[in-house]
Amino acid sequence: MKTNPTISDAEITLMMHRAGMRPSVQRIAILSHIGNARTHPSAEEIYNVLKPSMPSLSRTTVYNTLHSLTENRLARVVEIETGLARYDLSAFEPHAHFRCVCCGKIMDVEMNLGEIRLPEGCTLESADVFYKGYCKECGGRTRNADC
């Protein structure tokens, strides 16, 4: 999969303007973290990373911002683990995800959408493909051994 370049705050601001969202320092920081960390963070992870540099940031602000970002299609929810929403930047080219069942690392996987045949009258809004297995670092381990 192609390496995505760092997304600047100016680009994030422009994306928000185009989506009809008012950029704020918190919104820019949250979307920038989602796009640049490439870790598919959860709301709690976003809060924990940004809180030290933004003391006034609240969990409520993070959750409300994530709701607005997904509503405006700037971010999308990736639910690889049942009950845990993770976030990805919508502007990235379509891709699948791989989750290591040992260490929990989530990685992007190149995906060729090719020709998709939907039932007549249906339109595709999104496609979610998830793979689970062992990453390079955990390769020889088994679920019961070192995980």
Side-chain angles (χ1 to χ4, degrees):
M1 182 167 193
K2 296 179 201 168
T3 303
N4 295 311
T6 300
I7 302 163
S8 71
D9 287 353
E11 291 171 298
I12 296 285
T13 300
L14 182 59
M15 290 166 63
M16 287 183 174
H17 279 298
R18 287 181 178 158
M21 280 186 77
R22 184 183 58 79
S24 69
V25 172
Q26 293 90 350
R27 287 177 173 179
I28 292 167
I30 291 168
L31 191 57
S32 179
H33 181 70
I34 293 168
N36 290 313
R38 309 276 196 300
T39 58
H40 309 87
S42 66
E44 191 65 21
E45 290 168 349
I46 293 167
Y47 173 78
N48 289 333
V49 167
L50 297 180
K51 180 67 175 172
S53 62
M54 304 178 89
S56 64
L57 183 68
S58 69
R59 283 181 173 85
T60 301
T61 298
V62 172
Y63 281 98
N64 288 342
T65 298
L66 290 170
H67 178 74
S68 294
L69 291 171
T70 55
E71 251 188 6
N72 286 288
R73 298 178 186 221
L74 293 171
R76 61 187 294 267
V77 176
V78 178
E79 193 173 338
I80 297 173
E81 302 160 87
T82 304
L84 180 61
R86 294 184 168 276
Y87 295 87
D88 208 354
L89 192 69
S90 294
F92 290 156
E93 62 188 56
H95 59 276
H97 295 97
F98 176 89
R99 181 178 178 273
C100 179
V101 296
C102 188
C103 68
K105 182 177 181 180
I106 299 171
M107 297 171 270
D108 291 339
V109 177
E110 189 172 338
M111 184 173 76
N112 181 358
L113 291 178
E115 184 180 328
I116 298 171
R117 296 180 188 192
L118 298 173
E120 188 176 329
C122 296
T123 58
L124 183 66
E125 172 141 335
S126 68
D128 294 312
V129 178
F130 307 110
Y131 299 99
K132 294 178 183 175
Y134 295 91
C135 70
K136 183 178 178 180
E137 290 78 22
C138 299
R141 302 177 189 173
T142 65
R143 194 175 284 232
N144 297 326
D146 299 321
C147 295

